[in-house]
């Protein structure tokens, strides 16, 4: 392993580098280090802390629950400890990626140290996997990536055959206990080793060990959950080949492009990038034929790493769900850095690096501040509910925001959030949720208006006499609605995009 081996002269330097990666990661995510929990955070934390339940039906991800409970034991429910843990592991992943790039597995590199630094730094600021780092329960993916990188480092380092096989497979098994996106790791490792060794015989024993480990994890999943990917696998089976291909293309586009509300803009941008990529590929095959095999290998492993994210499905309009790119981002950053290293002109090479760094940083901080705003909204709403006047009736809540531009708010775990603040939930009912897409259709604050001989609150709640009718989620089907017969003691409050307001019938 020799990462922090005191017997080696470079151990002090590696320790310093590791510290630098962690510090840089903390600086990058400083705006959201103290942000509060949101959505599923409350649901999961309540389950593992108050119910001592570490099993979620349909999923086999014990690594996340165990680490979340460890953070609770260390610092209670202070969000800072949960967020800081995620950020430190993210910085650790950057360091491990740096170490992997220094191994001899990547060929045709003029300056291996520069290649390693560019790759690791691009990974730290890559913007389309931030959900995994910022969201407290996203740590399962970050930890999964961390152990996957450890497994790769063992596979690429000369530490003795037995130790290599045991450690590589052990870390791979642990990584699969965090998230399923690392399933293709054996194939990726074998392709990279084959590109270097040029011999199937040399890599076959490690490959066999890897696939036995994968089979063992799948067997445990089938015994515990009865499925491998739960509902995700059902989605893939239920779709046609063309539909799955479209999902893969969408996932590939979102791996390099920011989300957009305009599908045409995203499609045109992807076609442009695809054309640029094909032109570059042609140049490599025509002018730099010796590099063609390494190029195809890196492109191949990047595509392979993106298969599971495409099965899960990617949102092309917001940043929601981009946590599944965490594993894929390792290989995308390696590919980008490798291509930059091919540029002979130092000024052009430096310019390409600055371009990608600037491009990533713009959307990195856009994503960071979206998550900070989402957390503030969730915190304010929970605080306001705790202060609502309570009587003998029921308090009905309308337009609780489920997300903010893709960042989770209170889609799930609302009642658990109240319980964790010791708020009595017996008289509280959430009627409807509001997405950002619908919230922004109404300019300014939401206010009740007279409509159809009753009072209407955008986007789908009607109050007529002593009855409340509301769509649970705007845009849903006809059955996705709620009808409530009100008593004189009941109260209705709605979120007007800034705070909770009481819904009082408009005078007719």
């Amino acid at each position: 392993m020799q990462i922090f081996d005191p017997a080696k002269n470079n151990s002090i330097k590696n320790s310093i580098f590791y510290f630098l990666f962690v510090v840089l990661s903390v600086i990058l995510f400083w705006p959201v280090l103290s942000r509060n929990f949101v959505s599923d955070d409350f649901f999961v934390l309540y389950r593992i802390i108050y119910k001592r339940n570490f099993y979620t039906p349909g999923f086999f991800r014990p690594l996340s629950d165990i680490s979340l409970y460890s953070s609770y034991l260390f610092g209670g429910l202070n969000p800072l400890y949960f967020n800081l843990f995620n950020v430190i592991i993210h910085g650790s992943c950057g360091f491990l990626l740096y170490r992997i790039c220094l191994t001899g597995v990547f060929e045709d590199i003029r300056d291996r140290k520069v290649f390693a630094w560019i790759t690791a730094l691009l990974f730290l600021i890559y913007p389309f996997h931030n959900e995994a780092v910022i969201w407290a329960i996203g740590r399962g993916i970050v930890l999964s990536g961390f152990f996957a990188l450890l497994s790769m480092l063992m596979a690429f380092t000369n530490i003795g055959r037995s130790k290599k096989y045991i450690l590589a497979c052990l870390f791979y098994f642990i990584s699969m206990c965090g998230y399923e996106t690392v399933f293709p790791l054996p194939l990726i490792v074998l392709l990279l080793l084959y590109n270097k060794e040029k011999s199937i015989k040399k890599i076959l024993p490690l490959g066999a060990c890897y696939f036995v480990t994968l089979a063992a994890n799948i067997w445990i999943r089938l015994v515990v959950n009865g499925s491998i990917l739960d509902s995700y696998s059902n989605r893939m089976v239920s779709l046609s080949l063309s539909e799955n291909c479209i999902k893969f293309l969408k996932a590939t586009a979102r791996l390099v492009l920011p989300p957009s509300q305009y599908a045409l803009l995203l499609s045109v941008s992807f076609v442009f990038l695809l054309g640029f990529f094909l032109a570059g590929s042609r140049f490599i095959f025509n002018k730099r034929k010796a590099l063609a095999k390494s190029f195809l290998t890196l492109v191949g492993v990047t595509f392979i790493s993106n298969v599971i994210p495409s099965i899960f499905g990617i949102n092309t309009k917001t940043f929601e769900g981009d946590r599944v790119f965490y594993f894929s981002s390792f290989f995308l950053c390696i590919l980008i850095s490798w291509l930059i290293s091919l540029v002979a002109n130092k000024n052009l090479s430096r310019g390409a690096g600055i371009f990608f760094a600037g491009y990533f940083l713009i959307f990195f901080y856009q994503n960071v501040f979206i998550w900070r705003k989402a957390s503030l909204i969730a915190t304010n709403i929970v605080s306001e509910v705790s202060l609502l006047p309570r009587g003998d009736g029921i308090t009905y809540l309308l337009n609780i925001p489920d997300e903010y531009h893709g960042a989770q708010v209170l889609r799930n775990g609302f009642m658990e959030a109240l319980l964790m603040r010791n708020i009595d939930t017996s008289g509280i009912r959430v009627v409807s949720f509001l997405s950002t897409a619908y919230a922004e259709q109404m300019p300014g604050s939401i206010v009740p208006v007279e409509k159809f001989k009753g009072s209407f609150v955008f986007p789908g709640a009607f109050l007529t006499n002593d009855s409340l009718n509301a769509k649970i989620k705007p845009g849903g089907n006809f059955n996705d609605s709620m009808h409530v017969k009100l008593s004189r003691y009941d109260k209705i409050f709605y979120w007007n995009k800034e705070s909770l307001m009481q819904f009082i019938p408009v005078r007719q």
Side-chain angles (χ1 to χ4, degrees), residues 274-453:
L274 184 60
F276 185 78
F277 173 77
L278 292 175
S281 302
R282 182 178 179 183
F283 173 81
I284 291 174
F285 279 97
N286 290 339
K287 304 295 184 180
R288 310 284 292 273
K289 293 182 179 180
L291 305 176
K293 187 175 180 181
S294 295
F295 173 69
L296 286 176
T297 300
L298 292 177
V299 172
V301 298
T302 303
F303 281 178
I304 290 170
S305 70
N306 206 33
V307 170
I308 302 296
S310 69
I311 293 174
F312 287 175
I314 298 298
N315 194 325
T316 59
K317 295 183 178 180
T318 70
F319 288 102
E320 182 177 358
D322 65 8
R323 64 189 181 278
V324 298
F325 284 140
Y326 198 80
F327 180 67
S328 302
S329 62
F330 297 152
F331 308 102
L332 176 67
C333 292
I334 289 172
L335 176 61
I336 292 173
S337 182
W338 187 84
L339 290 173
I340 290 174
S341 71
L342 296 185
V343 180
N345 187 294
K346 289 186 177 180
N347 290 330
L348 287 178
S349 177
R350 190 179 297 114
I354 293 173
F355 168 79
F356 278 106
Y359 173 71
F360 282 0
L361 281 172
I362 289 172
F363 295 105
F364 178 92
Y365 278 109
Q366 180 187 2
N367 183 278
V368 162
F369 286 110
I370 283 175
W371 271 95
R372 189 168 77 166
K373 177 66 174 179
S375 176
L376 288 173
I377 293 172
T379 301
N380 290 340
I381 288 178
V382 173
S383 297
E384 289 183 29
V385 170
S386 69
L387 299 174
L388 291 179
R390 306 289 290 276
D392 296 329
I394 302 296
T395 299
Y396 294 99
L397 302 176
L398 303 173
N399 289 355
I400 298 299
D402 63 358
E403 52 81 31
Y404 176 74
H405 292 289
Q408 298 291 314
V409 179
L410 288 168
R411 176 174 299 171
N412 299 306
F414 181 73
M415 290 302 177
E416 287 79 6
L418 301 181
L419 291 170
M420 288 168 66
R421 289 196 53 172
N422 297 317
I423 300 172
D424 182 13
T425 61
S426 59
I428 296 176
R429 301 287 187 274
V430 177
V431 177
S432 62
F433 292 87
L434 183 65
S435 66
T436 305
Y438 276 90
E440 293 185 343
Q441 290 181 16
M442 170 68 73
S445 299
I446 297 173
V447 295
V449 296
E450 182 181 347
K451 190 173 184 180
F452 301 132
K453 297 182 180 181

Side-chain angles (χ1 to χ4, degrees), residues 219-264:
W219 178 79
I220 293 174
R221 287 172 178 271
L222 291 174
V223 170
V224 175
N225 296 322
S227 65
I228 301 174
L229 296 176
D230 189 46
S231 60
Y232 299 119
S233 57
N234 295 332
R235 295 179 196 174
M236 179 181 66
V237 173
S238 63
L239 297 177
S240 65
L241 177 62
S242 60
E243 289 173 322
N244 279 306
C245 288
I246 291 173
K247 285 182 66 178
F248 181 78
L249 289 175
K250 286 182 178 180
T252 304
R254 277 286 285 108
L255 188 60
V256 292
L257 293 172
S260 174
Q261 296 292 327
Y262 305 100
L264 180 61

Side-chain angles (χ1 to χ4, degrees), residues 144-160:
S144 177
F146 173 78
F147 283 103
L149 288 172
L150 276 177
S151 178
M152 291 175 64
L153 188 58
M154 297 303 100
F156 299 154
T157 306
N158 295 322
I159 56 173

